[in-house]
Amino acid sequence: MAVLNALIEAAGLEKTYPARDRKGTAFRAVAGVDFQVHRGEAFGFLGPNGAGKSSTMRMLAGVSAPTAGTLRILGLDPVADGRRVRARLGVVPQDDSLDTQLTVEENLLVYGLYFGLSRRAVRARAGELLEFARLEDKAGERVEHLSGGMRRRLTIARALINEPEILLLDEPTTGLDPQARHVLWDRLFRLKQDGVTLILTTHYMDEAEQLCDRLVVMDKGLIADEGSPRELIERHVTREVLELRFPPGEHEEVGRKLGDQVEVLPDRLLWYADDGEQALAQATEAGVRPLTALVRRTGLEDVFLRLTGRSLTD
Amino acid sequence: MAFRALAYWLVRYRRTWRGTIVVSVANPILFLLAIGAGLGTLVEGTVEGASYLAFFAPGLLAAATLQNAFVEAGFKVNSALRRERIYSTAAATPLEPGHILAGHLMFITLRLMLSAAAFVVVMALFGLTGSVGVALAVTLAATLTGLAFAAPLAAWAVTVSDFPQLNTVFRFVVMPMYLFSGTFFSVTQLPGPLRAVAYALPLWHGVDLCRALALGTATPGTSLLHAGYLTLCCVAGVLVARVTFRRCLHA
């Protein structure tokens, strides 16, 4: 009974921001999207900047009323029952928004008070959360002295203070170094094991492949496609891809020569084929002499380029 | 719910309160020494029946509270939404925009009252407050004056996306009001039309209320009129702020 398990149901969801002044024009950030999120899954919104991911997340967080369509979160209307919905959500905003003047512990305290927890309850929970975020020895440290990775982990710990059923993460690892990203992914994976439903936006393909059971690719306020990473790859691209690089300016010309199976990007050509080596042999036969040639397995990045390629170039 | 939002500001204030008290005491001492006791000696005779220092001090109190209100409700409200994102953090929790507004206004009231109280203590050191009762009344009058500005300022500042705009308003709205509301001289000295303008300024009502209470010349009628006008500004500000806070926090 998938319907019973749907924690979040969106149908025809739209968000239009009114014009800022009389000269401005209204901006439709989300142009009608449908999706469902089920209990316990990790669901991703993938898309280029301006695709409408963050606007969708704000509606899911119960702080932005949809302009049109319906949205049910935990069976409730996030506008009419905003308070009850938000009490059961955890939100990790893109920019942390921690109070850098306060200590790690104080940040958890004030946030816990927002949820109506007692000081004693927050203190008890803070120990667990700091351990989870691997910040046990930083409790009394001011946030301004923490690294970016530590701040992000603290923001996640803070979002867990009310034991949320759903955790919303807006670009959770943007700006972090590789080690910090892996630590964070590990923590998020643990949360998922504990049954927390994760909803995240990202424009990192490896992150989406690592974390998401299911994802939607958004572009220009619409959903371009939906599925598991594997399904999307099988649906939109071949098993392998041949990457060819040429001196600047020659891409267009070679692209014309090789025909429709080739995608021309600013820095390289992509030739999608089930057998990449064979494609390379064909190219060599056709007299093409690339600077470098690389055959690799296709991934979500290729799906992303296929589905949103046009808007990447502007 | 609003008290949860207030709790945040109190936790934060725990770090800075010592510094703010020092500033709240040192500022009036410097001003009263330099302008009241220093420049004031050049003023011959009395102003509205009082020595220049006794005339100037309560006026400066009201004007200083306006300045504090601008810092607390103008700059800090704007920064709480845009730069520090304090409001959006709170908005992600069960708190509604109205609670976030109410919590912050409660904290602003506390700050204004503490600064006014520090000022009044300094006035007492200069022998300018008659009794504890007068001191209390003047403190409350100054706080009300501050709130008459703080509420409308918060309503507006939350909508400002361009920070320098705040400075512009400070320079071209707050400063002229500061100078021409009877702080430094009696508005009766102003030519007719300008005097009418001064009487319409909320700050003049605050200045006159604080001054009359401090000098013991207050009458129930004018005091009620002043307090009523200031309360009206405050209530109107809160009502508008409830709308603008919702619009900006739940965009």
Side-chain angles (χ1 to χ4, degrees):
Chain A
M1 292 294 284
V3 177
L4 283 181
N5 286 330
L7 279 195
I8 295 177
E9 286 188 87
L13 195 61
E14 285 185 32
K15 182 72 193 186
T16 304
Y17 295 103
R20 284 202 173 184
D21 51 49
R22 243 169 282 158
K23 274 177 279 171
T25 50
F27 172 63
R28 190 152 79 147
V30 181
V33 297
D34 304 84
F35 60 88
Q36 277 119 35
V37 182
H38 308 293
R39 189 174 288 280
E41 76 177 337
F43 186 85
F45 288 97
L46 198 62
N49 291 331
K53 306 187 299 286
S54 292
S55 295
T56 305
M57 287 295 257
R58 285 180 54 78
M59 289 191 274
L60 294 180
V63 295
S64 175
T67 316
T70 57
L71 180 62
R72 306 288 290 177
I73 301 173
L74 299 156
L76 300 166
D77 174 352
V79 177
D81 286 313
R83 223 182 284 182
R84 284 167 65 201
V85 169
R86 293 196 300 272
R88 294 163 68 185
L89 297 180
V91 176
V92 180
Q94 200 177 330
D95 51 10
D96 294 336
S97 69
L98 296 161
D99 192 310
T100 54
Q101 300 295 306
L102 300 184
T103 66
V104 167
E105 218 165 25
E106 285 170 334
N107 267 282
L108 294 178
L109 172 69
V110 291
Y111 204 70
L113 295 178
Y114 285 158
F115 281 91
L117 301 175
S118 68
R119 275 167 195 265
R120 186 189 296 180
V122 176
R123 221 168 292 137
R125 186 129 176 80
E128 263 171 68
L129 290 174
L130 291 180
E131 196 181 320
F132 171 80
R134 296 172 57 177
L135 294 167
E136 307 94 306
D137 51 343
K138 301 283 179 193
E141 192 96 38
R142 282 218 219 166
V143 169
E144 61 184 346
H145 300 137
L146 300 188
S147 70
M150 289 177 184
R151 287 184 194 199
R152 197 60 55 88
R153 297 205 301 275
L154 175 56
T155 310
I156 292 174
R158 184 180 71 172
L160 296 172
I161 199 110
N162 57 326
E163 303 186 57
E165 291 160 67
I166 304 174
L167 188 63
L168 300 171
L169 303 119
D170 200 357
E171 298 191 9
T173 62
T174 297
L176 299 187
D177 64 41
Q179 277 95 339
R181 296 180 77 199
H182 283 283
V183 173
L184 207 78
W185 286 345
D186 166 62
R187 299 292 114 174
L188 292 178
F189 192 71
R190 272 172 210 230
L191 283 177
K192 204 184 141 216
Q193 299 292 95
D194 292 342
V196 179
T197 305
L198 303 180
I199 299 179
L200 56 117
T201 72
T202 183
H203 46 226
Y204 293 126
M205 305 308 131
D206 51 347
E207 183 157 283
E209 284 191 82
Q210 287 263 351
L211 289 176
C212 298
D213 300 314
R214 220 151 52 80
L215 50 92
V216 292
V217 180
M218 284 189 81
D219 190 29
K220 297 186 176 114
L222 291 167
I223 289 178
D225 201 9
E226 174 190 337
S228 70
R230 199 68 255 155
E231 283 168 1
L232 288 172
I233 291 166
E234 281 168 12
R235 198 174 304 152
H236 293 283
V237 291
T238 51
R239 206 173 67 91
E240 292 186 339
V241 61
L242 169 64
E243 292 194 4
L244 301 172
R245 286 171 199 270
F246 298 90
E250 289 179 26
H251 289 101
E252 295 284 343
E253 193 195 322
V254 181
R256 268 195 300 279
K257 197 186 231 174
L258 293 177
D260 276 349
Q261 72 266 40
V262 170
E263 189 117 345
V264 181
L265 296 184
D267 62 332
R268 66 208 139 122
L269 297 183
L270 296 180
W271 183 337
Y272 290 100
D274 284 321
D275 186 340
E277 294 296 344
Q278 205 190 325
L280 180 57
Q282 269 179 283
T284 315
E285 245 169 69
V288 170
R289 296 281 174 273
L291 289 177
T292 63
L294 168 77
V295 174
R296 60 168 174 81
R297 285 293 292 262
T298 48
L300 264 187
E301 180 159 8
D302 300 294
V303 176
F304 187 85
L305 290 174
R306 271 280 158 102
L307 290 175
T308 70
R310 298 285 168 271
S311 49
L312 267 186
T313 53
D314 59 35
Chain B
M1 293 281 240
F3 286 102
R4 300 182 191 171
L6 172 64
Y8 164 78
W9 293 103
L10 293 177
V11 168
R12 202 173 134 105
Y13 192 50
R14 259 202 324 228
R15 293 223 170 272
T16 54
W17 68 274
R18 287 178 202 87
T20 65
I21 297 286
V22 170
V23 171
S24 304
V25 172
N27 246 336
I29 290 182
L30 293 175
F31 264 90
L32 291 184
L33 279 177
I35 295 178
L39 195 65
T41 54
L42 300 177
V43 179
E44 286 178 28
T46 59
V47 188
E48 292 186 6
S51 75
Y52 185 72
L53 181 62
F55 167 85
F56 168 65
L60 179 66
L61 165 61
T65 312
L66 159 62
Q67 258 183 324
N68 287 338
F70 198 90
V71 171
E72 295 291 328
F75 292 125
K76 293 214 175 140
V77 162
N78 189 263
S79 152
L81 180 73
R82 314 263 161 198
R83 201 168 53 80
E84 299 189 77
R85 310 194 64 75
I86 293 163
Y87 288 164
S88 54
T89 301
T93 74
L95 300 192
E96 292 287 336
H99 303 130
I100 295 167
L101 166 69
H104 199 175
L105 279 180
M106 282 195 271
F107 176 71
I108 290 170
T109 308
L110 186 76
R111 285 282 293 118
L112 293 174
M113 203 183 283
L114 283 176
S115 300
F119 196 113
V120 170
V121 167
V122 172
M123 280 171 68
L125 294 179
F126 281 81
L128 298 173
T129 47
S131 66
V132 176
V134 168
L136 278 178
V138 173
T139 305
L140 290 179
T143 309
L144 178 62
T145 306
L147 276 178
F149 290 104
L153 274 169
W156 166 70
V158 78
T159 67
V160 174
S161 52
D162 177 34
F163 196 79
Q165 220 182 326
L166 292 166
N167 281 323
T168 307
V169 167
F170 186 78
R171 243 173 255 148
F172 296 106
V173 178
V174 175
M175 283 319 283
M177 199 166 11
Y178 189 94
L179 293 172
F180 290 97
S181 292
T183 318
F184 298 93
F185 55 87
S186 171
V187 290
T188 54
Q189 287 168 243
L190 290 169
L194 265 183
R195 205 185 310 154
V197 172
Y199 286 148
L201 295 175
L203 184 56
W204 176 75
H205 291 271
V207 166
D208 204 56
L209 181 62
C210 290
R211 182 170 289 146
L213 288 169
L215 297 178
T217 57
T219 62
T222 48
S223 299
L224 272 177
L225 175 74
H226 291 326
Y229 189 83
L230 295 169
T231 307
L232 195 70
C233 293
C234 182
V235 170
V238 170
L239 291 178
V240 177
R242 286 179 62 87
V243 176
T244 55
F245 265 62
R246 177 156 287 279
R247 194 178 299 154
C248 294
L249 269 61
H250 278 189

